[in-house]
Amino acid sequence: MDDLTVLRTRSLPGVLEKEIEKAILGGELVPGGRVNENALAGHYGVSRGPLREALRTLQAAGLVVSVPNRGYFVRRVDPAEATQIYDVRAALFGLAGETLARRASEDLVAQLRARLDAMDEAARARDFEAYYPLNLAFHDYIVEAAGNPVLAAHYRDLVKRLNLFRARSLVQGGGLAVSNAEHRAMVEAVARRDPAAARETFANHVARARERLLSAESSAASASST
Amino acid sequence: MDDLTVLRTRSLPGVLEKEIEKAILGGELVPGGRVNENALAGHYGVSRGPLREALRTLQAAGLVVSVPNRGYFVRRVDPAEATQIYDVRAALFGLAGETLARRASEDLVAQLRARLDAMDEAARARDFEAYYPLNLAFHDYIVEAAGNPVLAAHYRDLVKRLNLFRARSLVQGGGLAVSNAEHRAMVEAVARRDPAAARETFANHVARARERLLSAESSAASASST
DNA sequence: CTTCTGTAGATTGTTGACAATCTGCAATCG
DNA sequence: CGATTGCAGATTGTCAACAATCTACAGAAG
């Protein structure tokens, strides 16, 4: 019965899109690599038609690019584009914070503080494995709570594309406590119902995350070239 | 030779996408209306395969929606979603202004002032037909000059979707002078190389445009319901 | 008269096949 | 020996046909 419901709800190109996206974000399809339609179609046991429709959607999302008569390639994001993505993401996240500060209920502030405490604990324990998903959920919760689906959709698109930037060393060791201190300032701005301060702290948080990532990347690049 | 170059550069789904987009934005395909694949394929003299790929891209852009086993429908944007789009657009435009204020050359400021003067003239003459395209080009030039392709792409997507909001009465009569006064404040902030002021004036300009549009819409709605 | 059911037509979903194009290697020519 | 041309295999682009699903209308039952 489950298969039936799935097939009724999601179309075949829809599930393929999610599946391929997972493969890309999971690293099975590496950035810059070619996407073979026949191979993929065979792997999923479907025809090339629905597959190509899924790839078109992924192209619009910026995860792959189509070169006429050459095929699809997994998108490669270089530091320059990563910077651009981060700037846009900061602006959107700032908007999320501003919106949240205007409409925040007491329950919502309590929710944010609870998540903050959980992250603090993980940061103190230097437990990156625990911190990472909490951090992700925290940001996602914020963007969702802002109540603007258009904003949320664009934000998620940007985050997906950032995963194509080869630099898994997202936040290393010392970054945890620093990052969560910024989180606390963000939540306090929301609790004070101060839209301007919220926008600023939220946007700055992403801007600083960008600096952390890019400096880590450049040092890693210079290290590997030595 | 032209056809050959076109076919080499743009793929068939690519040209179909642009063609259908034009039909939607031009009003030939009305919001809420159904899109018949066979009819469209026949109209363009192509098969349904490339057509469906084009529609997938347009779905990702938010211009159409796909309902499984029912087909594609031209997206309808209600006032609530238009508000959300405007909020995101304001944040992005604010980022464009901030970026511009940091990197503006003298030439760029001169360019902006020249466009400003042209719009002033049209506004004084109450010549909406002349003002409208100048205004569009002004905004597009700014977003382009910010030098962030990711920002530009997202911004353009939002503008396209706003065209689906049924309210062609974009700016009526008196709005022209007001709007251009805001433009002048924006350009002056850029000329002063003041990023914070630029962000604020740019974002506020879009927010005010939203208010102008939505109040016009609601008054038109109450008038039509009377 | 209203409601339900069944059927015919239309429309979308998917597939497999054919045509066009590209890539890589080998043979030939200068 | 290097460069170029030609060919074979692989891959993408497009199409037309078939299967599945939905819509609308007609007819029958309550």
Side-chain angles (χ1 to χ4, degrees), chain B residues 11-21 44 46 50-51 54 58:
Chain B
S11 65
L12 185 48
V15 301
L16 285 175
E17 176 206 333
K18 280 201 149 190
E19 213 64 32
I20 300 173
E21 179 185 307
Y44 291 118
V46 298
L51 191 86
L58 290 173

Side-chain angles (χ1 to χ4, degrees), chain B residues 34-36 38 48 52 69:
Chain B
R34 223 171 128 290
V35 177
N36 189 314
N38 276 318
R48 281 173 52 220
R52 284 171 62 91
N69 292 320

Side-chain angles (χ1 to χ4, degrees), chain A:
Chain A
M1 196 73 77
D2 189 40
D3 291 350
L4 194 96
T5 348
V6 167
L7 259 296
R8 248 183 230 299
T9 314
R10 304 274 176 191
S11 65
L12 184 47
V15 302
L16 285 176
E17 177 206 332
K18 282 200 150 192
E19 213 64 34
I20 300 173
E21 179 185 307
K22 229 190 306 180
I24 293 177
L25 267 45
E28 297 170 51
L29 294 173
V30 296
R34 227 172 125 288
V35 177
N36 189 313
E37 294 183 8
N38 276 318
L40 261 192
H43 181 263
Y44 290 119
V46 298
S47 176
R48 280 173 52 219
L51 191 86
R52 284 171 63 93
E53 290 186 29
L55 286 171
R56 284 285 171 203
T57 303
L58 290 173
Q59 178 181 35
L63 294 187
V64 302
V65 286
S66 158
V67 180
N69 292 321
R70 291 280 313 278
Y72 288 89
F73 296 81
V74 179
R75 197 99 153 51
R76 193 199 302 268
V77 173
D78 57 28
E81 188 181 358
T83 302
Q84 296 167 1
I85 296 174
Y86 260 108
D87 285 346
V88 176
R89 187 183 163 190
L92 293 188
F93 203 57
L95 172 61
E98 184 180 341
T99 307
L100 224 53
R102 289 190 204 284
R103 54 151 58 202
S105 67
E106 281 307 319
D107 280 357
L108 188 132
V109 174
Q111 253 286 356
L112 291 177
R113 287 207 169 112
R115 289 166 184 271
L116 217 54
D117 293 339
M119 282 189 284
D120 253 344
E121 189 169 15
R124 262 198 304 274
R126 294 277 191 278
D127 186 353
F128 182 72
E129 294 297 316
Y131 186 86
Y132 183 68
L134 285 174
N135 182 43
L136 235 98
F138 179 70
H139 285 84
D140 213 65
Y141 178 77
I142 285 172
V143 168
E144 195 64 40
N148 184 335
V150 176
L151 163 61
H154 281 258
Y155 182 85
R156 293 215 179 88
D157 260 24
L158 293 172
V159 171
K160 272 181 207 162
R161 275 171 60 184
L162 271 181
N163 285 341
L164 296 184
F165 180 54
R166 51 177 181 90
R168 288 283 166 183
S169 56
L170 285 167
V171 187
Q172 58 259 66
L176 270 58
V178 175
S179 176
N180 213 37
E182 292 170 20
H183 288 162
R184 197 160 288 281
M186 288 159 50
V187 173
E188 289 317 310
V190 171
R192 272 185 283 121
R193 268 76 174 174
D194 186 340
R199 189 194 56 72
E200 183 130 354
T201 51
F202 277 62
N204 280 343
H205 174 61
V206 174
R208 295 224 181 80
R210 179 193 70 184
E211 293 312 319
R212 282 195 283 271
L213 177 59
L214 290 181
S215 68
E217 169 68 12
S218 66
S219 67
S222 64
S224 69
S225 67
T226 330

